[in-house]
Amino acid sequence: GGSGTFWSSAKELQYGSTLRNRKINGEWVGYISSPYVVFYGCNTANGEFAQNFTNSQKVTTYAQTTYASFSYSKKSRLRRINTNGTSLNIYLLSFESLYGIKNSDVLGKVFNPK
């Protein structure tokens, strides 16, 4: 919510597809990698922020409808990390609802350029 109208006047960052050689089933093939952006901030899919970003940058964008938080667990946000902790194995989780239903695609709500 703090970005205001920044994305409506920001310079386009020139996201572009990339052709790469990739080995698939033991065979080298041409693979086109399409860029996308993911915002893992709480409620970034709500309001106009994500749609404004995707429109101005002309790139598919994903954002979170409710919460995103760091956790010591791959499946539950209830094992939150200590603010100044230095432990390894920290996971960034995003959720589809207040009840902790994990975002199964790990990306969030999709926004396409208009």
Side-chain angles (χ1 to χ4, degrees), residues 34-98:
S34 297
Y36 60 88
V37 172
V38 182
F39 287 104
Y40 282 108
C42 299
N43 301 304
T44 50
N46 304 333
E48 298 175 0
F49 168 75
Q51 189 64 60
N52 287 346
F53 179 86
T54 197
N55 291 346
S56 69
Q57 297 300 312
K58 297 176 182 59
V59 64
T60 298
T61 302
Y62 296 87
Q64 308 312 308
T65 56
T66 58
Y67 298 102
S69 62
F70 290 98
S71 175
Y72 289 118
S73 167
K74 289 182 181 181
K75 297 180 181 178
S76 171
R77 68 180 177 152
L78 299 178
R79 297 208 47 225
R80 293 186 179 164
I81 64 168
N82 300 327
T83 301
N84 297 314
T86 58
S87 298
L88 300 178
N89 300 322
I90 303 297
Y91 304 93
L92 178 58
L93 306 176
S94 59
F95 301 90
E96 297 291 344
S97 76
L98 293 172

